[in-house]
Amino acid sequence: MANIKLTDLALRDAHQSLFATRMVTADMLPICDKLDKVGYFALEAWGGATFDTAMRFLNEDPWDRLRKLKSALPNTPIMMLLRGQNLLGYRHYADDVVTKFVEAAAKNGVGIFRIFDALNDPRNFKTAIEAAKKTGKHIQAAISYATTPFHTREKYVELAKEYEKIGANSLAIKDMAGLLKPYEAYELVKALKKAISIPIEIHSHSTTGMSVAALAKAAEAGAEILDTVISPLAMGTSHSPTETMVEIFKGTEYDTGLDTNLLLEIAAYFREIKKNYKKFESGFLGADTRILVSQVPGGMLSNMEGQLKEQGALDKLDDVLKEIPLVQKDFGYPSLVTPTSQIVGIQAVLNVLQGRYVNLTAESKDLLAGKYGACPAPKNPALVKKALEALKLEKEVTYRPADDIPPEFEKLEAEVKKLLGTDTPSVEDVLSYAMFPKIAPDFFKKRSQGPVVFKPEPDAPSAPAPAGKNEAAKYVVNVNGANYNVVVAPAGTVITAGVAAGAAPAPEAAAGVPSGGGTVVPAPVAGTIIRYAVDEGGNVAAGETVIIIESMKMELEIKATAGGKVHFLVSAGAKVTARQPVAEIG
Ligand code: CO
């Protein structure tokens, strides 16, 4: 075995893990020329959470990013991370949307499709692999790695054979939480090498501090490709440093042959760029060994922090980390990778904030009902029953979940035509809308304003800039060496969450004030009102759903706290804070 190949993750997973996926294209392009000269196996640069974040926070067209990267990287394949039948969203899509998406991604610049499924259910790969085959691009099937009693070496080998059989050109072990122990990596790769003949790539996060050793042992066992990140964006919840791995193998039979001086020039660039994103940085930068028990992957950890912050409950992080493995077990041991990481994570947050399973999110119900595919282990039967009842289903879904979904591209296209006022919307716009129907319309409206620009933040403010009338000013306050972001605004100003990136949308409806005559229904969590579940002025019984709210990317029902006539205090689209009154009953 010789010449280990490397895939650098700087443009996707690294910033997704370290600073909430906020890197803008403008910070990527200036270094592409050098990145393209290194001789990487691939640059992972698209997919995962980047698509969502680009539209949601950066006012950037993700397709435009892909095209720009492709023309700036003529010699290095761009790898994208695709969640099988989920694509980049949080639900299963119809086969026609999956096929169109893969075609468009290939056309716009993706050279390698890394496809995975959170449940390791090969039925969820079928359509994406078939579509990718037609494009002639490289297909990499990724196994979501976990260390539950139901994720065994034998099971992984079985899956690898299956993926090779259905047409994968290479196989990845996707270790989201840094749980792959070096000696297990060796044994696993040895076992895989005996069973399959396609190349093996190892993706192992640094969260627990084991990744450098795991990659080295995997190489020894015969893995041909390793995932690394240029050093300023390495370690913590990210990955092993590229230069370090190059140096470890230098002069051995595994020598990567990469130019360390060129890598150092690239590192110098990212060291500067990183300063732009200080405010988004994950608090977990060293080795976090709690994860050896909780199994919470890097991206999920920084997401959990952000979401608890939004709920004003950051002090509950430890409780949530303890709750996650319990929910994972109840849900049949899905591995904690998107979207199941989010589904399990947010259910754990709700369990901690509101009591265990007082509220199941819509996504939790679907997962329990089998709508995401087969979970590795049996689920908590009481919860399955609760989910089936709520969904009015007689029994769990046991066929390929997407078989249930009728073609939907044309319907989505018609909606985009209306939205954009054109008869010829681009396929890419339709797909953006398909992925994120709540985000895309807003993004389309603001797209022409161009992407947000991030600048380095000073460590401490010199003189506060004067705020305009009724405008909130943002300051960084340094207390005992720690920086705190604070917002200062005149009394009566509405301060919206998410002040960090770009313009936070103002609440579309002014908060209504309860008359005082009825029972107030508070929002259990901060979020965005999606729709009313009953008509204004209608009668509801206690416990009946009155409002659907989107919180932390999950859908949640808000229930009536009493019976009577309902009067809504917020409109659809309004952003609400935790405990804000949303309706009054009586
Ligand atoms: Co990753």
Side-chain angles (χ1 to χ4, degrees), residues 9 12-14 16-17 44 81 114 174-177 203-205 227 237-239 297-299 337:
L9 312 170
R12 203 286 296 179
D13 203 359
Q16 181 169 331
S17 299
E44 196 213 27
L81 182 66
R114 172 176 283 174
K174 185 173 158 54
D175 168 29
M176 305 76 69
H203 179 89
S204 180
H205 282 258
D227 282 7
T237 51
S238 180
H239 291 259
V337 61

Side-chain angles (χ1 to χ4, degrees), residues 189-201:
V189 172
K190 275 278 177 209
L192 289 170
K193 291 304 291 179
K194 266 187 220 153
I196 57 170
S197 55
I198 51 175
I200 297 171
E201 178 155 0

Side-chain angles (χ1 to χ4, degrees), residues 241-309:
T242 304
E243 306 94 295
T244 305
M245 295 315 299
V246 166
E247 210 57 30
I248 285 174
F249 294 130
K250 205 166 263 177
T252 73
E253 60 183 304
Y254 311 106
D255 201 327
T256 62
L258 302 188
D259 176 357
T260 302
N261 286 323
L262 178 56
L263 293 173
L264 291 181
E265 286 172 36
I266 294 168
Y269 174 81
F270 280 110
R271 209 169 290 125
E272 284 305 306
I273 286 303
K274 195 181 169 185
K275 293 176 186 164
N276 297 351
Y277 302 95
K278 206 170 164 50
K279 58 178 168 280
F280 301 114
E281 250 174 37
S282 161
F284 294 91
L285 295 175
D288 194 322
T289 46
R290 288 176 300 179
I291 291 147
L292 293 169
V293 177
S294 73
Q295 297 197 52
V296 178
M300 182 179 178
L301 207 52
S302 47
N303 260 340
M304 291 277 101
E305 281 181 288
Q307 285 158 348
L308 281 170
K309 222 181 267 178

Side-chain angles (χ1 to χ4, degrees), residues 88-99:
L88 300 171
Y90 290 92
R91 67 170 176 94
H92 271 28
Y93 289 92
D95 289 336
D96 64 340
V97 173
V98 174
T99 303

Side-chain angles (χ1 to χ4, degrees), residues 471-477 484-489 493-496 499-500:
E471 245 176 15
K474 295 157 213 164
Y475 300 117
V476 181
V477 177
Y484 295 88
N485 292 316
V486 297
V487 180
V488 181
T493 310
V494 178
I495 300 176
T496 50
V499 288

Side-chain angles (χ1 to χ4, degrees), residues 16 83 86 90 116 118-119 176 295-301 303-304 307 320 324 327-328 331 334-349 367 372 552 554:
Q16 181 169 331
R83 298 195 276 271
N86 288 166
Y90 290 92
F116 79 101
L119 303 179
M176 305 76 69
Q295 297 197 52
V296 178
M300 182 179 178
L301 207 52
N303 260 340
M304 291 277 101
Q307 285 158 348
V320 171
I324 286 169
V327 176
Q328 190 187 17
F331 284 13
S335 40
L336 297 180
V337 61
T338 312
T340 46
S341 55
Q342 191 72 7
I343 298 172
V344 168
I346 298 311
Q347 192 60 53
V349 169
L367 180 61
Y372 283 89
M552 303 171 279
M554 300 288 124

